């Protein structure tokens, strides 16, 4: 991407924005996270290697394990889609108004939440082919200026009109992050693409962000 930028791909910049959780979100996050980590310590589970598989197995064996599994998902849900993040997203959509923007999330529920909050067309794996094609067509023509999606637009879809990407949440894989950047890099005269990455400060999402940014495109 770095070698092709400005010639075969559009020029671009990447901005990572750390978002503070509200006090209530922070308390709920820290409580859930502590419960999850306590269970890992009890069972002597290291999340490196096959740790995740072992965690799932242990979590299924007891009520305590199921509570820890729930705590894991609660902490993840808060970090990925906090109200603080949604507010910053609204500010960015207003700032980039008039430019074609894609909002990326890690899950369908958050994508639908954003769709309802900001009245944006939404594409998930539940969208049928005709609906997807219609939304992408309206996006290309400028009828829709912004759309939201979970992970179905990461690859295999050509969206030349896209100029702005906002990553609200995602996995820690470099491949996914680079694919999302690639969605906004189709060249056009005078185009300067921008990718915003929203990260919940002082949460495990900071480590996720560091892992997925291990690519020359983000240096």
């Amino acid at each position: 991407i770095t070698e092709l930028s400005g010639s075969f791909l559009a020029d671009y910049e990447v901005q990572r924005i750390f978002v503070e959780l509200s006090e209530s979100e922070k308390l709920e996050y820290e409580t859930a996270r502590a419960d999850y980590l306590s269970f890992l310590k009890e069972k002597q589970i290291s999340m490196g290697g096959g740790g995740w598989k072992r965690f799932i197995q242990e979590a299924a064996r007891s009520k305590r394990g199921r509570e820890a599994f729930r705590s894991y998902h609660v902490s993840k849900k808060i970090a990925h889609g906090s109200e603080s993040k949604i507010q910053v997203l609204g500010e960015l959509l207003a700032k980039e108004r008039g430019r074609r923007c894609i909002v990326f999330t890690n899950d369908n529920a958050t994508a639908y939440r954003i769709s309802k909050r900001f009245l944006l067309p939404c594409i998930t794996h539940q969208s049928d082919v005709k609906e997807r094609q219609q939304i992408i067509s309206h996006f290309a023509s400028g009828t829709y200026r912004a759309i939201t999606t979970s992970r179905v637009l990461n690859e295999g879809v050509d969206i030349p009109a896209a100029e702005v990407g906002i990553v609200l949440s995602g996995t820690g894989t470099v491949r996914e992050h680079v694919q999302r950047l690639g969605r906004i890099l189709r060249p056009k005269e005078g185009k300067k693409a921008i990718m915003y990455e929203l990260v919940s400060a002082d949460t495990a999402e900071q480590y996720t962000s560091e892992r997925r940014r291990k690519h020359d495109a983000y240096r």
Side-chain angles (χ1 to χ4, degrees):
I1 288 179
T2 53
E3 293 176 359
L4 296 176
S5 175
S7 51
F8 296 99
L9 297 176
D11 285 327
Y12 71 96
E13 64 175 301
V14 177
Q15 289 188 21
R16 182 162 53 166
I17 302 173
F18 291 97
V19 181
E20 297 289 339
L21 300 179
S22 67
E23 288 304 315
S24 60
E25 289 171 335
K26 187 179 296 185
L27 177 60
E28 186 177 7
Y29 173 85
E30 290 176 349
T31 301
R33 183 74 178 170
D35 183 59
Y36 160 66
L37 293 177
S38 175
F39 181 76
L40 294 185
K41 186 176 181 179
E42 290 169 19
K43 298 299 181 179
Q44 297 183 328
I45 300 173
S46 171
M47 294 311 286
W52 176 253
K53 182 178 180 181
R54 187 169 167 228
F55 170 58
I56 297 299
Q57 292 171 337
E58 292 288 349
R61 291 174 179 166
S62 65
K63 180 181 178 181
R64 172 72 185 97
R66 290 188 290 276
E67 289 173 349
F69 187 71
R70 178 183 177 278
S71 292
Y72 165 78
H73 278 286
V74 167
S75 64
K76 186 176 179 180
K77 180 179 179 181
I78 294 170
H80 280 191
S82 70
E83 183 59 28
S84 303
K85 263 193 182 181
I86 302 301
Q87 290 176 4
V88 173
L89 171 61
E91 293 169 5
L92 291 177
L93 289 172
K95 175 183 177 182
E96 300 292 349
R97 189 184 304 277
R99 303 185 73 196
R100 251 68 69 86
C101 174
I102 304 176
V103 181
F104 298 97
T105 73
N106 191 54
D107 60 276
N108 291 350
T110 305
Y112 290 132
R113 177 184 168 198
I114 292 168
S115 177
K116 292 175 68 175
R117 178 75 164 264
F118 299 104
L119 301 180
L120 303 182
C122 181
I123 299 177
T124 71
H125 75 275
Q126 296 173 330
S127 309
D128 62 38
V129 174
K130 185 176 180 180
E131 181 183 14
R132 290 189 197 189
Q133 291 175 340
Q134 186 179 58
I135 290 174
I136 291 173
S137 175
H138 286 327
F139 184 70
S141 69
T143 302
Y144 297 155
R145 289 288 177 172
I147 60 177
T148 184
T149 182
S150 49
R151 295 161 67 179
V152 296
L153 296 186
N154 287 351
E155 60 181 323
V157 180
D158 188 20
I159 314 177
E163 305 165 273
V164 179
I166 303 176
V167 177
L168 194 77
S169 57
T171 68
T173 63
V174 174
R175 178 185 175 87
E176 177 186 82
H177 209 46
V178 172
Q179 286 171 337
R180 288 177 165 184
L181 177 60
R183 296 286 75 78
I184 65 173
L185 295 185
R186 277 294 298 273
K188 181 181 177 182
E189 186 175 354
K191 177 178 176 179
K192 178 67 177 289
I194 184 167
M195 172 73 85
Y196 296 101
E197 180 190 1
L198 304 188
V199 180
S200 291
D202 300 319
T203 72
E205 192 176 43
Q206 289 191 192
Y207 303 107
T208 301
S209 174
E210 291 299 332
R211 291 202 309 273
R212 67 191 179 203
R213 291 172 64 88
K214 291 180 179 179
H215 189 280
D216 287 345
Y218 298 99
R219 295 174 185 169

